[in-house]
Amino acid sequence: MVWPSDTPASREVLYDMARGDNITLSTLRATVHLGAHADGPNHYGKDAPAIDERLLDYYLGRCQLIRVGVGRATRIIPSMLSREVTVPRVLFATGTYPDPQNWNADFAALSVELIEFLHDRDVITVGIDTPSVDLFESKDLPAHKAILRHDMAILEGLVLKDVPEGMYELIALPLPLVGFDASPVRAVLRSI
């Protein structure tokens, strides 16, 4: 999944054992907002920390996956939640971005009210199965700004299609890319 006009992943093979070289060596070129990724606060906040400055605690530990019945191009509000929030990391499965290989702009997003609700319950990380916590057309990014205000972390582009609701251990460590505005993650949920 790559936002329109962003840089998709490409590989340049510099050396290749299949061509007779002694090693295979590649160069990766891509947006840091590729697929499942962690946004750095400097992506949406001036003079905010880069991804390498974030504590790993945001991306590692107990989490709760909540499926939300939400329409396309709609923001999730607290009354849509089917479960009580009880842990510091919450992931939302909306089903509004069903195929990461095919872009659709009418995905669901988070509301400021939901961010405030989560902050009041000591949530430090919020994740979603869409390309953004804000709607595609949003330029003022209210959910991003509410998350910044509360020093929460963002995970976007999660693939949660076949994962049941429940409690898990989240492992989604960003790379320590100095000064960068995001990092791809390999998000893993382990049963607890």
Side-chain angles (χ1 to χ4, degrees), residues 72-120:
R72 290 183 174 268
T74 302
R75 290 186 182 274
I76 302 168
I77 58 174
S79 63
M80 294 176 178
L81 302 187
S82 61
R83 307 251 186 250
E84 183 179 336
V85 173
T86 60
V87 296
R89 294 163 204 85
V90 179
L91 310 179
F92 293 102
T94 70
T96 62
Y97 198 80
D99 183 0
Q101 303 305 315
N102 293 301
W103 179 263
N104 68 272
D106 60 347
F107 53 81
L110 308 180
S111 67
V112 171
E113 296 80 10
L114 180 63
I115 301 305
E116 298 298 332
F117 174 87
L118 296 172
H119 172 71
D120 290 345

mmCIF file of all heavy atoms in Angstrom, residues 72-120:
data_model
loop_
_atom_site.group_PDB
_atom_site.id
_atom_site.type_symbol
_atom_site.label_atom_id
_atom_site.label_comp_id
_atom_site.label_asym_id
_atom_site.label_seq_id
_atom_site.Cartn_x
_atom_site.Cartn_y
_atom_site.Cartn_z
ATOM 1 N N ARG A 72 -17.778 3.466 4.948
ATOM 2 C CA ARG A 72 -16.644 4.029 4.212
ATOM 3 C C ARG A 72 -16.671 5.554 4.311
ATOM 4 O O ARG A 72 -17.730 6.166 4.408
ATOM 5 C CB ARG A 72 -16.690 3.584 2.760
ATOM 6 C CG ARG A 72 -16.395 2.100 2.606
ATOM 7 C CD ARG A 72 -16.377 1.703 1.148
ATOM 8 N NE ARG A 72 -15.951 0.327 0.992
ATOM 9 C CZ ARG A 72 -14.689 -0.042 0.797
ATOM 10 N NH1 ARG A 72 -13.738 0.844 0.732
ATOM 11 N NH2 ARG A 72 -14.384 -1.316 0.661
ATOM 12 N N ALA A 73 -15.467 6.139 4.318
ATOM 13 C CA ALA A 73 -15.293 7.598 4.403
ATOM 14 C C ALA A 73 -15.962 8.177 5.650
ATOM 15 O O ALA A 73 -16.464 9.298 5.638
ATOM 16 C CB ALA A 73 -15.792 8.293 3.135
ATOM 17 N N THR A 74 -15.954 7.403 6.730
ATOM 18 C CA THR A 74 -16.580 7.797 7.997
ATOM 19 C C THR A 74 -15.538 7.726 9.104
ATOM 20 O O THR A 74 -14.651 6.883 9.081
ATOM 21 C CB THR A 74 -17.746 6.837 8.330
ATOM 22 O OG1 THR A 74 -18.677 6.863 7.252
ATOM 23 C CG2 THR A 74 -18.443 7.224 9.613
ATOM 24 N N ARG A 75 -15.669 8.608 10.080
ATOM 25 C CA ARG A 75 -14.773 8.586 11.236
ATOM 26 C C ARG A 75 -15.391 7.749 12.360
ATOM 27 O O ARG A 75 -16.582 7.849 12.634
ATOM 28 C CB ARG A 75 -14.496 10.001 11.728
ATOM 29 C CG ARG A 75 -13.619 10.796 10.765
ATOM 30 C CD ARG A 75 -13.254 12.154 11.366
ATOM 31 N NE ARG A 75 -12.466 12.937 10.442
ATOM 32 C CZ ARG A 75 -11.134 12.864 10.329
ATOM 33 N NH1 ARG A 75 -10.461 12.039 11.094
ATOM 34 N NH2 ARG A 75 -10.491 13.626 9.470
ATOM 35 N N ILE A 76 -14.556 6.952 13.004
ATOM 36 C CA ILE A 76 -15.000 6.131 14.130
ATOM 37 C C ILE A 76 -15.202 7.028 15.342
ATOM 38 O O ILE A 76 -14.324 7.829 15.686
ATOM 39 C CB ILE A 76 -13.955 5.049 14.464
ATOM 40 C CG1 ILE A 76 -13.692 4.151 13.246
ATOM 41 C CG2 ILE A 76 -14.407 4.223 15.667
ATOM 42 C CD1 ILE A 76 -12.461 3.258 13.418
ATOM 43 N N ILE A 77 -16.346 6.877 15.993
ATOM 44 C CA ILE A 77 -16.636 7.612 17.228
ATOM 45 C C ILE A 77 -16.761 6.602 18.373
ATOM 46 O O ILE A 77 -16.978 5.409 18.137
ATOM 47 C CB ILE A 77 -17.903 8.484 17.091
ATOM 48 C CG1 ILE A 77 -19.116 7.621 16.722
ATOM 49 C CG2 ILE A 77 -17.684 9.590 16.047
ATOM 50 C CD1 ILE A 77 -20.439 8.380 16.706
ATOM 51 N N PRO A 78 -16.613 7.055 19.615
ATOM 52 C CA PRO A 78 -16.624 6.115 20.743
ATOM 53 C C PRO A 78 -17.848 5.208 20.822
ATOM 54 O O PRO A 78 -17.732 4.037 21.190
ATOM 55 C CB PRO A 78 -16.526 7.025 21.965
ATOM 56 C CG PRO A 78 -15.794 8.228 21.469
ATOM 57 C CD PRO A 78 -16.293 8.422 20.052
ATOM 58 N N SER A 79 -19.014 5.702 20.462
ATOM 59 C CA SER A 79 -20.234 4.881 20.575
ATOM 60 C C SER A 79 -20.235 3.688 19.612
ATOM 61 O O SER A 79 -21.047 2.777 19.767
ATOM 62 C CB SER A 79 -21.475 5.740 20.350
ATOM 63 O OG SER A 79 -21.469 6.262 19.026
ATOM 64 N N MET A 80 -19.341 3.666 18.646
ATOM 65 C CA MET A 80 -19.247 2.541 17.703
ATOM 66 C C MET A 80 -18.464 1.360 18.267
ATOM 67 O O MET A 80 -18.471 0.281 17.681
ATOM 68 C CB MET A 80 -18.578 2.990 16.396
ATOM 69 C CG MET A 80 -19.356 3.981 15.607
ATOM 70 S SD MET A 80 -18.383 4.483 14.160
ATOM 71 C CE MET A 80 -19.528 5.591 13.367
ATOM 72 N N LEU A 81 -17.794 1.546 19.398
ATOM 73 C CA LEU A 81 -16.963 0.483 19.951
ATOM 74 C C LEU A 81 -17.824 -0.589 20.598
ATOM 75 O O LEU A 81 -18.729 -0.290 21.380
ATOM 76 C CB LEU A 81 -15.972 1.045 20.967
ATOM 77 C CG LEU A 81 -15.025 2.129 20.464
ATOM 78 C CD1 LEU A 81 -13.994 2.458 21.533
ATOM 79 C CD2 LEU A 81 -14.358 1.730 19.169
ATOM 80 N N SER A 82 -17.508 -1.830 20.289
ATOM 81 C CA SER A 82 -18.261 -2.966 20.822
ATOM 82 C C SER A 82 -17.655 -3.505 22.111
ATOM 83 O O SER A 82 -18.226 -4.377 22.750
ATOM 84 C CB SER A 82 -18.302 -4.087 19.778
ATOM 85 O OG SER A 82 -16.976 -4.512 19.478
ATOM 86 N N ARG A 83 -16.482 -3.023 22.458
ATOM 87 C CA ARG A 83 -15.750 -3.525 23.623
ATOM 88 C C ARG A 83 -15.241 -2.360 24.461
ATOM 89 O O ARG A 83 -14.971 -1.285 23.952
ATOM 90 C CB ARG A 83 -14.537 -4.331 23.176
ATOM 91 C CG ARG A 83 -14.843 -5.419 22.201
ATOM 92 C CD ARG A 83 -14.684 -6.758 22.877
ATOM 93 N NE ARG A 83 -14.845 -7.833 21.935
ATOM 94 C CZ ARG A 83 -15.872 -8.649 21.933
ATOM 95 N NH1 ARG A 83 -16.831 -8.517 22.810
ATOM 96 N NH2 ARG A 83 -15.949 -9.632 21.055
ATOM 97 N N GLU A 84 -15.073 -2.643 25.750
ATOM 98 C CA GLU A 84 -14.442 -1.675 26.641
ATOM 99 C C GLU A 84 -12.938 -1.687 26.375
ATOM 100 O O GLU A 84 -12.343 -2.732 26.144
ATOM 101 C CB GLU A 84 -14.715 -2.074 28.091
ATOM 102 C CG GLU A 84 -14.173 -1.098 29.095
ATOM 103 C CD GLU A 84 -14.478 -1.521 30.525
ATOM 104 O OE1 GLU A 84 -15.443 -2.277 30.733
ATOM 105 O OE2 GLU A 84 -13.725 -1.103 31.417
ATOM 106 N N VAL A 85 -12.316 -0.516 26.378
ATOM 107 C CA VAL A 85 -10.868 -0.407 26.173
ATOM 108 C C VAL A 85 -10.180 -0.590 27.516
ATOM 109 O O VAL A 85 -10.458 0.145 28.464
ATOM 110 C CB VAL A 85 -10.510 0.955 25.545
ATOM 111 C CG1 VAL A 85 -9.010 1.145 25.478
ATOM 112 C CG2 VAL A 85 -11.134 1.074 24.159
ATOM 113 N N THR A 86 -9.254 -1.576 27.569
ATOM 114 C CA THR A 86 -8.659 -1.920 28.862
ATOM 115 C C THR A 86 -7.133 -1.998 28.851
ATOM 116 O O THR A 86 -6.545 -2.313 29.880
ATOM 117 C CB THR A 86 -9.208 -3.277 29.356
ATOM 118 O OG1 THR A 86 -8.882 -4.283 28.389
ATOM 119 C CG2 THR A 86 -10.717 -3.220 29.562
ATOM 120 N N VAL A 87 -6.504 -1.764 27.710
ATOM 121 C CA VAL A 87 -5.044 -1.855 27.613
ATOM 122 C C VAL A 87 -4.496 -0.612 26.903
ATOM 123 O O VAL A 87 -5.250 0.121 26.272
ATOM 124 C CB VAL A 87 -4.591 -3.149 26.891
ATOM 125 C CG1 VAL A 87 -4.979 -4.382 27.685
ATOM 126 C CG2 VAL A 87 -5.135 -3.221 25.487
ATOM 127 N N PRO A 88 -3.173 -0.369 26.974
ATOM 128 C CA PRO A 88 -2.616 0.880 26.447
ATOM 129 C C PRO A 88 -2.408 0.955 24.934
ATOM 130 O O PRO A 88 -2.025 2.004 24.430
ATOM 131 C CB PRO A 88 -1.266 1.004 27.165
ATOM 132 C CG PRO A 88 -0.914 -0.370 27.584
ATOM 133 C CD PRO A 88 -2.193 -1.109 27.780
ATOM 134 N N ARG A 89 -2.665 -0.122 24.219
ATOM 135 C CA ARG A 89 -2.507 -0.106 22.766
ATOM 136 C C ARG A 89 -3.782 -0.677 22.157
ATOM 137 O O ARG A 89 -4.201 -1.786 22.528
ATOM 138 C CB ARG A 89 -1.297 -0.943 22.343
ATOM 139 C CG ARG A 89 0.013 -0.352 22.817
ATOM 140 C CD ARG A 89 1.152 -1.387 22.749
ATOM 141 N NE ARG A 89 2.188 -1.013 23.707
ATOM 142 C CZ ARG A 89 2.172 -1.334 24.996
ATOM 143 N NH1 ARG A 89 1.194 -2.073 25.495
ATOM 144 N NH2 ARG A 89 3.146 -0.934 25.791
ATOM 145 N N VAL A 90 -4.388 0.051 21.213
ATOM 146 C CA VAL A 90 -5.652 -0.373 20.615
ATOM 147 C C VAL A 90 -5.517 -0.331 19.092
ATOM 148 O O VAL A 90 -5.037 0.657 18.529
ATOM 149 C CB VAL A 90 -6.820 0.531 21.065
ATOM 150 C CG1 VAL A 90 -8.129 0.083 20.419
ATOM 151 C CG2 VAL A 90 -6.949 0.525 22.581
ATOM 152 N N LEU A 91 -5.942 -1.418 18.459
ATOM 153 C CA LEU A 91 -5.930 -1.528 17.001
ATOM 154 C C LEU A 91 -7.368 -1.652 16.519
ATOM 155 O O LEU A 91 -8.158 -2.418 17.096
ATOM 156 C CB LEU A 91 -5.138 -2.760 16.560
ATOM 157 C CG LEU A 91 -3.747 -2.941 17.159
ATOM 158 C CD1 LEU A 91 -3.111 -4.221 16.627
ATOM 159 C CD2 LEU A 91 -2.872 -1.730 16.903
ATOM 160 N N PHE A 92 -7.691 -0.916 15.451
ATOM 161 C CA PHE A 92 -9.049 -0.933 14.910
ATOM 162 C C PHE A 92 -9.072 -1.611 13.550
ATOM 163 O O PHE A 92 -8.341 -1.230 12.644
ATOM 164 C CB PHE A 92 -9.597 0.487 14.793
ATOM 165 C CG PHE A 92 -9.813 1.144 16.120
ATOM 166 C CD1 PHE A 92 -8.908 2.073 16.602
ATOM 167 C CD2 PHE A 92 -10.901 0.803 16.908
ATOM 168 C CE1 PHE A 92 -9.079 2.661 17.840
ATOM 169 C CE2 PHE A 92 -11.086 1.389 18.158
ATOM 170 C CZ PHE A 92 -10.178 2.320 18.624
ATOM 171 N N ALA A 93 -9.944 -2.623 13.446
ATOM 172 C CA ALA A 93 -10.183 -3.307 12.177
ATOM 173 C C ALA A 93 -11.505 -2.784 11.631
ATOM 174 O O ALA A 93 -12.564 -3.031 12.209
ATOM 175 C CB ALA A 93 -10.240 -4.813 12.390
ATOM 176 N N THR A 94 -11.425 -2.034 10.530
ATOM 177 C CA THR A 94 -12.622 -1.423 9.946
ATOM 178 C C THR A 94 -13.138 -2.180 8.727
ATOM 179 O O THR A 94 -14.300 -2.043 8.374
ATOM 180 C CB THR A 94 -12.333 0.023 9.513
ATOM 181 O OG1 THR A 94 -11.446 0.013 8.379
ATOM 182 C CG2 THR A 94 -11.745 0.845 10.650
ATOM 183 N N GLY A 95 -12.255 -2.896 8.047
ATOM 184 C CA GLY A 95 -12.637 -3.575 6.819
ATOM 185 C C GLY A 95 -12.894 -2.644 5.651
ATOM 186 O O GLY A 95 -13.362 -3.078 4.600
ATOM 187 N N THR A 96 -12.565 -1.359 5.805
ATOM 188 C CA THR A 96 -12.845 -0.392 4.733
ATOM 189 C C THR A 96 -11.681 -0.208 3.765
ATOM 190 O O THR A 96 -11.768 0.594 2.842
ATOM 191 C CB THR A 96 -13.246 0.982 5.313
ATOM 192 O OG1 THR A 96 -12.156 1.502 6.085
ATOM 193 C CG2 THR A 96 -14.502 0.874 6.177
ATOM 194 N N TYR A 97 -10.617 -0.934 3.992
ATOM 195 C CA TYR A 97 -9.482 -0.955 3.068
ATOM 196 C C TYR A 97 -9.105 -2.428 2.878
ATOM 197 O O TYR A 97 -8.088 -2.900 3.381
ATOM 198 C CB TYR A 97 -8.315 -0.129 3.626
ATOM 199 C CG TYR A 97 -7.312 0.243 2.554
ATOM 200 C CD1 TYR A 97 -7.556 1.305 1.705
ATOM 201 C CD2 TYR A 97 -6.148 -0.488 2.381
ATOM 202 C CE1 TYR A 97 -6.656 1.645 0.711
ATOM 203 C CE2 TYR A 97 -5.238 -0.159 1.393
ATOM 204 C CZ TYR A 97 -5.499 0.915 0.563
ATOM 205 O OH TYR A 97 -4.602 1.241 -0.427
ATOM 206 N N PRO A 98 -9.960 -3.174 2.166
ATOM 207 C CA PRO A 98 -9.859 -4.632 2.163
ATOM 208 C C PRO A 98 -8.683 -5.223 1.396
ATOM 209 O O PRO A 98 -8.269 -6.343 1.683
ATOM 210 C CB PRO A 98 -11.182 -5.066 1.526
ATOM 211 C CG PRO A 98 -11.612 -3.908 0.700
ATOM 212 C CD PRO A 98 -11.121 -2.691 1.425
ATOM 213 N N ASP A 99 -8.137 -4.498 0.430
ATOM 214 C CA ASP A 99 -7.064 -5.058 -0.386
ATOM 215 C C ASP A 99 -5.895 -4.090 -0.456
ATOM 216 O O ASP A 99 -5.927 -3.134 -1.230
ATOM 217 C CB ASP A 99 -7.585 -5.366 -1.791
ATOM 218 C CG ASP A 99 -6.537 -6.013 -2.678
ATOM 219 O OD1 ASP A 99 -5.389 -6.233 -2.226
ATOM 220 O OD2 ASP A 99 -6.863 -6.295 -3.849
ATOM 221 N N PRO A 100 -4.849 -4.318 0.334
ATOM 222 C CA PRO A 100 -3.703 -3.395 0.339
ATOM 223 C C PRO A 100 -3.015 -3.245 -1.018
ATOM 224 O O PRO A 100 -2.256 -2.311 -1.221
ATOM 225 C CB PRO A 100 -2.749 -4.015 1.364
ATOM 226 C CG PRO A 100 -3.594 -4.885 2.210
ATOM 227 C CD PRO A 100 -4.689 -5.372 1.331
ATOM 228 N N GLN A 101 -3.303 -4.142 -1.968
ATOM 229 C CA GLN A 101 -2.691 -4.048 -3.300
ATOM 230 C C GLN A 101 -3.479 -3.132 -4.238
ATOM 231 O O GLN A 101 -2.999 -2.785 -5.314
ATOM 232 C CB GLN A 101 -2.576 -5.445 -3.926
ATOM 233 C CG GLN A 101 -1.785 -6.428 -3.086
ATOM 234 C CD GLN A 101 -0.399 -5.933 -2.731
ATOM 235 O OE1 GLN A 101 0.322 -5.411 -3.563
ATOM 236 N NE2 GLN A 101 -0.020 -6.063 -1.465
ATOM 237 N N ASN A 102 -4.700 -2.757 -3.834
ATOM 238 C CA ASN A 102 -5.556 -1.904 -4.673
ATOM 239 C C ASN A 102 -6.057 -0.715 -3.870
ATOM 240 O O ASN A 102 -6.826 -0.880 -2.918
ATOM 241 C CB ASN A 102 -6.744 -2.706 -5.220
ATOM 242 C CG ASN A 102 -6.293 -3.759 -6.198
ATOM 243 O OD1 ASN A 102 -5.676 -3.446 -7.206
ATOM 244 N ND2 ASN A 102 -6.569 -5.013 -5.889
ATOM 245 N N TRP A 103 -5.644 0.474 -4.263
ATOM 246 C CA TRP A 103 -5.981 1.698 -3.540
ATOM 247 C C TRP A 103 -7.472 1.976 -3.599
ATOM 248 O O TRP A 103 -8.105 1.867 -4.645
ATOM 249 C CB TRP A 103 -5.213 2.878 -4.142
ATOM 250 C CG TRP A 103 -5.534 4.155 -3.464
ATOM 251 C CD1 TRP A 103 -6.428 5.104 -3.864
ATOM 252 C CD2 TRP A 103 -4.990 4.635 -2.233
ATOM 253 N NE1 TRP A 103 -6.476 6.128 -2.958
ATOM 254 C CE2 TRP A 103 -5.599 5.866 -1.948
ATOM 255 C CE3 TRP A 103 -4.044 4.122 -1.344
ATOM 256 C CZ2 TRP A 103 -5.297 6.604 -0.817
ATOM 257 C CZ3 TRP A 103 -3.747 4.866 -0.213
ATOM 258 C CH2 TRP A 103 -4.360 6.087 0.037
ATOM 259 N N ASN A 104 -8.058 2.319 -2.456
ATOM 260 C CA ASN A 104 -9.392 2.918 -2.419
ATOM 261 C C ASN A 104 -9.345 4.098 -1.457
ATOM 262 O O ASN A 104 -8.775 4.008 -0.375
ATOM 263 C CB ASN A 104 -10.492 1.914 -2.049
ATOM 264 C CG ASN A 104 -10.441 1.391 -0.636
ATOM 265 O OD1 ASN A 104 -9.776 0.411 -0.360
ATOM 266 N ND2 ASN A 104 -11.153 2.040 0.274
ATOM 267 N N ALA A 105 -9.895 5.213 -1.885
ATOM 268 C CA ALA A 105 -9.798 6.467 -1.133
ATOM 269 C C ALA A 105 -10.907 6.653 -0.108
ATOM 270 O O ALA A 105 -10.870 7.603 0.671
ATOM 271 C CB ALA A 105 -9.799 7.645 -2.106
ATOM 272 N N ASP A 106 -11.891 5.761 -0.073
ATOM 273 C CA ASP A 106 -13.032 5.955 0.823
ATOM 274 C C ASP A 106 -12.928 5.121 2.100
ATOM 275 O O ASP A 106 -13.921 4.629 2.633
ATOM 276 C CB ASP A 106 -14.338 5.660 0.084
ATOM 277 C CG ASP A 106 -14.421 4.237 -0.447
ATOM 278 O OD1 ASP A 106 -13.391 3.528 -0.466
ATOM 279 O OD2 ASP A 106 -15.531 3.834 -0.849
ATOM 280 N N PHE A 107 -11.706 4.987 2.628
ATOM 281 C CA PHE A 107 -11.495 4.235 3.866
ATOM 282 C C PHE A 107 -11.967 5.028 5.078
ATOM 283 O O PHE A 107 -12.103 6.259 5.030
ATOM 284 C CB PHE A 107 -10.017 3.850 4.010
ATOM 285 C CG PHE A 107 -9.059 5.001 3.884
ATOM 286 C CD1 PHE A 107 -8.804 5.847 4.949
ATOM 287 C CD2 PHE A 107 -8.403 5.241 2.673
ATOM 288 C CE1 PHE A 107 -7.921 6.902 4.832
ATOM 289 C CE2 PHE A 107 -7.514 6.297 2.547
ATOM 290 C CZ PHE A 107 -7.276 7.130 3.631
ATOM 291 N N ALA A 108 -12.216 4.322 6.172
ATOM 292 C CA ALA A 108 -12.625 4.946 7.433
ATOM 293 C C ALA A 108 -11.414 5.520 8.160
ATOM 294 O O ALA A 108 -10.268 5.212 7.821
ATOM 295 C CB ALA A 108 -13.337 3.928 8.315
ATOM 296 N N ALA A 109 -11.675 6.330 9.169
ATOM 297 C CA ALA A 109 -10.600 6.981 9.928
ATOM 298 C C ALA A 109 -11.069 7.183 11.371
ATOM 299 O O ALA A 109 -12.171 6.773 11.746
ATOM 300 C CB ALA A 109 -10.228 8.304 9.271
ATOM 301 N N LEU A 110 -10.222 7.816 12.163
ATOM 302 C CA LEU A 110 -10.519 8.062 13.570
ATOM 303 C C LEU A 110 -11.037 9.481 13.773
ATOM 304 O O LEU A 110 -10.603 10.415 13.099
ATOM 305 C CB LEU A 110 -9.260 7.858 14.415
ATOM 306 C CG LEU A 110 -8.515 6.535 14.219
ATOM 307 C CD1 LEU A 110 -7.289 6.490 15.121
ATOM 308 C CD2 LEU A 110 -9.420 5.347 14.456
ATOM 309 N N SER A 111 -11.909 9.660 14.738
ATOM 310 C CA SER A 111 -12.409 10.992 15.087
ATOM 311 C C SER A 111 -11.591 11.559 16.248
ATOM 312 O O SER A 111 -10.968 10.812 17.013
ATOM 313 C CB SER A 111 -13.882 10.923 15.503
ATOM 314 O OG SER A 111 -14.010 10.204 16.725
ATOM 315 N N VAL A 112 -11.629 12.861 16.391
ATOM 316 C CA VAL A 112 -10.985 13.509 17.527
ATOM 317 C C VAL A 112 -11.636 13.024 18.821
ATOM 318 O O VAL A 112 -10.946 12.773 19.815
ATOM 319 C CB VAL A 112 -11.059 15.053 17.400
ATOM 320 C CG1 VAL A 112 -10.598 15.735 18.677
ATOM 321 C CG2 VAL A 112 -10.239 15.521 16.205
ATOM 322 N N GLU A 113 -12.956 12.842 18.800
ATOM 323 C CA GLU A 113 -13.665 12.354 19.990
ATOM 324 C C GLU A 113 -13.135 10.985 20.415
ATOM 325 O O GLU A 113 -12.979 10.719 21.608
ATOM 326 C CB GLU A 113 -15.173 12.265 19.720
ATOM 327 C CG GLU A 113 -15.836 13.601 19.445
ATOM 328 C CD GLU A 113 -15.661 14.120 18.020
ATOM 329 O OE1 GLU A 113 -15.167 13.374 17.139
ATOM 330 O OE2 GLU A 113 -16.002 15.292 17.773
ATOM 331 N N LEU A 114 -12.850 10.138 19.452
ATOM 332 C CA LEU A 114 -12.311 8.822 19.773
ATOM 333 C C LEU A 114 -10.913 8.945 20.378
ATOM 334 O O LEU A 114 -10.601 8.259 21.356
ATOM 335 C CB LEU A 114 -12.273 7.931 18.529
ATOM 336 C CG LEU A 114 -11.729 6.525 18.768
ATOM 337 C CD1 LEU A 114 -12.613 5.737 19.728
ATOM 338 C CD2 LEU A 114 -11.554 5.784 17.451
ATOM 339 N N ILE A 115 -10.088 9.813 19.832
ATOM 340 C CA ILE A 115 -8.735 10.005 20.382
ATOM 341 C C ILE A 115 -8.829 10.500 21.822
ATOM 342 O O ILE A 115 -8.105 10.020 22.701
ATOM 343 C CB ILE A 115 -7.911 10.990 19.521
ATOM 344 C CG1 ILE A 115 -7.789 10.483 18.077
ATOM 345 C CG2 ILE A 115 -6.544 11.240 20.142
ATOM 346 C CD1 ILE A 115 -7.223 9.104 17.913
ATOM 347 N N GLU A 116 -9.711 11.450 22.090
ATOM 348 C CA GLU A 116 -9.896 11.951 23.458
ATOM 349 C C GLU A 116 -10.366 10.821 24.383
ATOM 350 O O GLU A 116 -9.876 10.670 25.502
ATOM 351 C CB GLU A 116 -10.893 13.108 23.476
ATOM 352 C CG GLU A 116 -10.469 14.327 22.679
ATOM 353 C CD GLU A 116 -9.192 14.983 23.175
ATOM 354 O OE1 GLU A 116 -8.873 14.886 24.381
ATOM 355 O OE2 GLU A 116 -8.497 15.605 22.348
ATOM 356 N N PHE A 117 -11.311 10.020 23.913
ATOM 357 C CA PHE A 117 -11.828 8.869 24.657
ATOM 358 C C PHE A 117 -10.696 7.897 24.986
ATOM 359 O O PHE A 117 -10.578 7.427 26.120
ATOM 360 C CB PHE A 117 -12.909 8.203 23.796
ATOM 361 C CG PHE A 117 -13.459 6.923 24.335
ATOM 362 C CD1 PHE A 117 -14.519 6.927 25.231
ATOM 363 C CD2 PHE A 117 -12.943 5.693 23.918
ATOM 364 C CE1 PHE A 117 -15.050 5.731 25.711
ATOM 365 C CE2 PHE A 117 -13.471 4.502 24.395
ATOM 366 C CZ PHE A 117 -14.519 4.521 25.297
ATOM 367 N N LEU A 118 -9.861 7.591 24.008
ATOM 368 C CA LEU A 118 -8.744 6.669 24.227
ATOM 369 C C LEU A 118 -7.706 7.252 25.180
ATOM 370 O O LEU A 118 -7.192 6.550 26.058
ATOM 371 C CB LEU A 118 -8.094 6.308 22.887
ATOM 372 C CG LEU A 118 -8.979 5.533 21.912
ATOM 373 C CD1 LEU A 118 -8.289 5.409 20.561
ATOM 374 C CD2 LEU A 118 -9.374 4.177 22.467
ATOM 375 N N HIS A 119 -7.411 8.528 25.023
ATOM 376 C CA HIS A 119 -6.452 9.189 25.929
ATOM 377 C C HIS A 119 -6.949 9.115 27.378
ATOM 378 O O HIS A 119 -6.163 8.853 28.299
ATOM 379 C CB HIS A 119 -6.236 10.638 25.503
ATOM 380 C CG HIS A 119 -5.437 11.416 26.480
ATOM 381 N ND1 HIS A 119 -4.088 11.216 26.679
ATOM 382 C CD2 HIS A 119 -5.799 12.393 27.347
ATOM 383 C CE1 HIS A 119 -3.652 12.036 27.621
ATOM 384 N NE2 HIS A 119 -4.671 12.754 28.043
ATOM 385 N N ASP A 120 -8.244 9.326 27.586
ATOM 386 C CA ASP A 120 -8.827 9.261 28.932
ATOM 387 C C ASP A 120 -8.703 7.865 29.539
ATOM 388 O O ASP A 120 -8.841 7.696 30.748
ATOM 389 C CB ASP A 120 -10.292 9.677 28.912
ATOM 390 C CG ASP A 120 -10.473 11.167 28.645
ATOM 391 O OD1 ASP A 120 -9.475 11.928 28.749
ATOM 392 O OD2 ASP A 120 -11.606 11.567 28.307
#
